[in-house]
């Protein structure tokens, strides 16, 4: 079930609150006015009853003259109209009537009057009466018609009701106008967001045109749109790069197949064509495997073993594995290995060490050097690969770990790299809870440092050793830019 709109709910709450306020104010005003009117009537009747009480105390109950028993002239003159004249009845202690004016007045005694009541007022239809305890347990009842007062109160109630309805209607109109203004910025924001599609992610909400309460929301939405736009651009770039990377070996396969089928050939030629296709397919498989590894790293689903791994042994194995490549490139590889263990996946860490060392060899100059070290610094195991290669420019450092990024595209064909190696290294290192950092200077060399949580508590000697990228002690004097990822 679709919920009510915000504007409808604001209007409903405003109407409810307004109704309660108007009804409460009108009711209270009417009750106060009614109370004031009856208090005025009671005061008049009580003053008349007091006059009669004073005469009774002169001895009228014991056979004295009754001629003085009359209501004050001020009261009788005020209500002299026929049918509205005030009347009174004086009863003895036994209930018998001592005097009534007019004599035929129908005014029964007030049986609800309690012993602690000095006087009590009551209403009988259009009549209002007041009973007062007199001397010698007598009762004095004074009353008059209040038809005009009741008519006045009814008129007052009607006016209050009409005024309340008018105020309520005006409040509803005002509330609708205010709620419209309140939700207008939200409508504008919704319209802006509705116009944004995958092809129009550059549009933003005008945060300067909204109220302060919504400015924060507009800013958050704009920031989210910015991240979404960046993500879409990266996805598009990634798709283009992946397509380009796969198209080259695929073109090689198609070309060799077409050539092989263009005419009958010798067995050796077919074998050579199939071998070329196999190499191209192998390159495609490596790219696909690398992409799958990165996808699993992004999803946090890398299947890594958790076992005690000697990082020094992993590095030595990588150095031995790439010894032939270093010899072919005329690059000298040196090591300064300190035993240090980490909890992790031996294959994954071996891949990190091999990728970093291979990059240091491939992007070095003939006669260059590569130094590989493993140390322990506090609770961290540090693997550093330092080369005297061509270096990396400042502009390339920021994108160094971006997928398919190549600092030197001209040499990518020579090295056979796909531009995914460093991205995979970062994914593997972060999956181990570590960090990877790079410092480089053109024509001087590059230092790549991998920091992983060490398996054992902080050692004493290793913690004091300076490390590459760890501070002033680990920086070469001529170092250039750096990046920590």
């Amino acid at each position: 079930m679709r919920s009510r709109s915000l504007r409808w709910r604001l209007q409903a709450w405003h109407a409810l609150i307004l109704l309660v306020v108007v009804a409460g104010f009108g009711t209270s005003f009417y009750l106060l006015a009614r109370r004031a009117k009856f208090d005025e009537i009671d005061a008049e009747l009580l003053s008349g009853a007091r006059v009669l009480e004073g005469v009774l105390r002169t001895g009228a109950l014991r056979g004295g003259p009754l001629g003085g028993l009359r209501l004050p002239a001020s009261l009788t003159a005020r209500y002299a109209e026929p049918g509205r004249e005030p009347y009174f009845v004086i009863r003895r202690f036994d209930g018998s009537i001592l005097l009534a004016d007019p004599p035929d007045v129908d005014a029964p005694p007030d049986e609800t009057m309690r012993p602690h009541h000095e006087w009590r007022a009551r209403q009988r239809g259009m009549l209002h009466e007041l009973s007062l305890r007199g001397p010698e347990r007598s009762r004095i009842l004074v009353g008059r018609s209040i038809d005009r007062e009741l008519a006045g109160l009814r008129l007052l109630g009607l006016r209050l009701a009409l005024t309340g309805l008018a105020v309520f209607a005006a409040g509803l109109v005002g509330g609708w106008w205010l709620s419209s203004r309140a939700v207008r910025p939200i409508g504008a924001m919704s319209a802006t967001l509705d116009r944004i599609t995958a092809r129009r992610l550059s549009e933003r909400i005008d945060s300067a045109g909204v109220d302060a309460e919504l400015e924060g929301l507009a800013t958050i939405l704009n920031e989210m749109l910015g991240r979404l736009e960046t993500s879409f651009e990266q996805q598009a770039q990634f798709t283009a790069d992946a397509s380009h990377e796969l198209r080259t070996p695929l073109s090689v396969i198609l070309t060799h197949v077409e050539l092989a089928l263009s005419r009958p050939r010798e067995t050796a030629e077919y074998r050579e064509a199939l071998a070329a296709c196999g190499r191209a397919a192998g390159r495609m498989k490596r790219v696909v495997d690398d992409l799958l590894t990165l996808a699993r790293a992004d999803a946090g689903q890398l299947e890594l073993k958790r076992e005690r791994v000697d990082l020094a042994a992993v590095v030595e194995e990588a150095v031995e594995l790439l010894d032939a490549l270093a010899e072919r490139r005329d690059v000298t590889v040196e090591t300064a290995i300190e035993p240090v263990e980490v909890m992790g996946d031996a294959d994954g860490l071996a891949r990190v060490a091999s990728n970093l060392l291979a990059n240091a060899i491939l992007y070095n100059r003939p006669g260059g050097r590569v130094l590989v070290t493993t140390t322990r610094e506090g609770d961290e195991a540090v693997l550093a690969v330092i080369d005297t290669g061509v270096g990396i420019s400042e502009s390339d450092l920021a994108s160094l770990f971006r997928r398919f990024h190549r600092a030197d595209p001209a040499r990518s064909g020579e090295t056979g790299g796909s531009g995914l190696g460093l991205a995979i290294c970062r994914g593997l290192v972060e999956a181990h809870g570590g960090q990877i950092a790079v410092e480089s200077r053109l024509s001087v060399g590059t230092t790549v440092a991998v920091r992983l949580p060490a398996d054992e508590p902080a050692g004493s000697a290793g913690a004091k050793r300076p490390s590459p990228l760890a501070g002033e002690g680990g920086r070469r004097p001529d170092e250039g830019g750096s990046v920590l990822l």
Side-chain angles (χ1 to χ4, degrees):
M1 180 179 177
R2 187 177 181 181
S3 60
R4 300 286 187 180
S5 66
L6 177 61
R7 183 181 184 183
W8 190 95
R9 282 182 288 173
L10 285 175
Q11 183 65 19
W13 277 107
H14 174 263
L16 179 61
I17 294 173
L18 182 63
L19 179 63
V20 171
V21 171
V22 171
F25 177 79
T27 304
S28 300
F29 186 86
Y30 175 80
L31 292 177
L32 288 175
R34 187 177 186 275
R35 182 68 264 170
K37 178 58 67 178
F38 277 89
D39 285 346
E40 179 185 351
I41 297 172
D42 289 343
E44 289 178 344
L45 297 179
L46 182 61
S47 64
R50 292 291 188 193
V51 171
L52 297 175
E53 179 191 18
V55 176
L56 290 176
R57 292 187 185 281
T58 60
L61 290 171
R62 294 187 293 273
L66 301 178
L69 289 174
R70 63 176 63 89
L71 291 172
S74 59
L75 180 62
T76 56
R78 187 175 182 182
Y79 304 102
E81 298 91 343
R84 300 195 69 231
E85 301 90 343
Y87 56 87
F88 69 88
V89 178
I90 300 175
R91 286 185 171 83
R92 299 184 184 88
F93 71 95
D94 57 358
S96 60
I97 296 176
L98 172 64
L99 180 65
D101 183 22
D104 57 346
V105 64
D106 180 17
D110 187 357
E111 301 296 340
T112 61
M113 192 171 182
R114 298 291 182 263
H116 61 277
H117 289 159
E118 181 186 6
W119 63 271
R120 178 177 173 80
R122 70 178 180 183
Q123 182 175 343
R124 291 192 304 124
M126 295 293 178
L127 301 177
H128 193 78
E129 297 172 342
L130 183 140
S131 296
L132 175 68
R133 294 185 184 277
E136 300 180 18
R137 299 168 57 189
S138 62
R139 296 285 183 87
I140 304 170
L141 185 146
V142 180
R144 71 173 178 85
S145 172
I146 57 171
D147 54 344
R148 292 187 179 180
E149 285 79 1
L150 292 178
L153 289 174
R154 284 194 295 271
L155 180 60
L156 175 63
L158 179 61
R159 289 175 175 173
L160 286 174
L162 293 176
T163 303
L165 288 175
V167 172
F168 182 69
L172 287 180
V173 175
W176 185 257
W177 180 75
L178 288 175
S179 62
S180 300
R181 286 184 56 85
V183 301
R184 187 178 302 166
I186 299 177
M189 293 168 63
S190 300
T192 302
L193 293 175
D194 190 53
R195 290 195 299 270
I196 295 175
T197 63
R199 297 182 180 277
R200 296 183 57 182
L201 284 172
S202 60
E203 192 167 349
R204 296 292 183 270
I205 298 171
D206 182 14
S207 58
V210 299
D211 298 330
E213 292 80 0
L214 296 176
E215 186 177 359
L217 176 61
T219 302
I220 292 174
L221 289 174
N222 284 336
E223 292 175 352
M224 183 191 69
L225 291 172
R227 293 193 296 270
L228 192 61
E229 183 180 13
T230 302
S231 177
F232 268 74
E233 291 174 352
Q234 291 177 346
Q235 184 183 23
Q237 183 63 40
F238 174 79
T239 303
D241 291 341
S243 301
H244 176 75
E245 196 64 29
L246 293 174
R247 186 174 59 183
T248 300
L250 188 59
S251 298
V252 171
I253 294 174
L254 291 174
T255 300
H256 282 278
V257 170
E258 289 174 356
L259 286 176
L261 297 177
S262 62
R263 61 178 175 80
R265 297 179 182 274
E266 299 294 331
T267 303
E269 290 178 309
Y270 284 122
R271 187 182 301 280
E272 183 179 351
L274 289 175
C277 292
R279 289 192 295 274
R283 177 175 174 76
M284 291 177 61
K285 182 178 183 303
R286 287 194 298 275
V287 173
V288 172
D289 289 343
D290 289 346
L291 291 176
L292 181 60
T293 301
L294 289 172
R296 287 174 176 170
D298 290 342
Q301 297 177 351
L302 273 179
E303 297 179 356
L304 299 177
K305 297 178 182 177
R306 289 295 175 184
E307 57 187 3
R308 189 183 300 274
V309 178
D310 185 354
L311 191 60
V314 169
V315 171
E316 288 175 346
E317 184 179 350
V319 171
E320 183 179 352
L321 183 66
L322 296 171
D323 183 62
L325 176 64
E327 184 176 354
R328 192 164 59 250
R329 292 275 181 169
D330 191 19
V331 174
T332 301
V333 178
E334 299 174 347
T335 60
I337 306 299
E338 175 183 319
V340 57
E341 292 184 337
V342 298
M343 289 299 293
D345 184 85
D347 293 338
L349 294 176
R351 188 171 185 178
V352 172
S354 299
N355 279 345
L356 298 182
L357 182 56
N359 281 343
I361 295 172
L362 291 172
Y363 293 95
N364 215 315
R365 58 174 58 88
R369 296 171 55 246
V370 175
L371 174 62
V372 184
T373 66
T374 60
T375 57
R376 182 187 187 105
E377 295 184 9
D379 295 334
E380 293 182 329
V382 181
L383 162 64
V385 180
I386 308 168
D387 67 61
T388 57
V390 297
I392 305 170
S393 66
E394 291 275 357
S395 58
D396 285 323
L397 275 177
S399 305
L400 193 62
F401 289 84
R402 189 166 59 82
R403 293 158 194 190
F404 296 112
H405 175 78
R406 295 181 180 88
D408 186 0
R411 298 185 60 184
S412 60
E414 178 186 349
T415 60
S418 62
L420 296 174
L422 287 178
I424 292 175
C425 286
R426 183 181 66 174
L428 289 170
V429 170
E430 291 180 348
H432 282 80
Q435 290 182 321
I436 183 169
V438 179
E439 288 184 358
S440 185
R441 186 180 177 86
L442 285 175
S443 303
V444 175
T446 302
T447 298
V448 181
V450 174
R451 293 178 173 275
L452 299 168
D455 181 48
E456 297 179 357
S460 57
K464 297 178 181 176
R465 292 192 57 175
S467 174
L469 314 185
E472 293 183 355
R475 294 175 64 93
R476 292 186 302 228
D478 54 351
E479 281 178 339
S482 64
V483 59
L484 175 63
L485 295 168

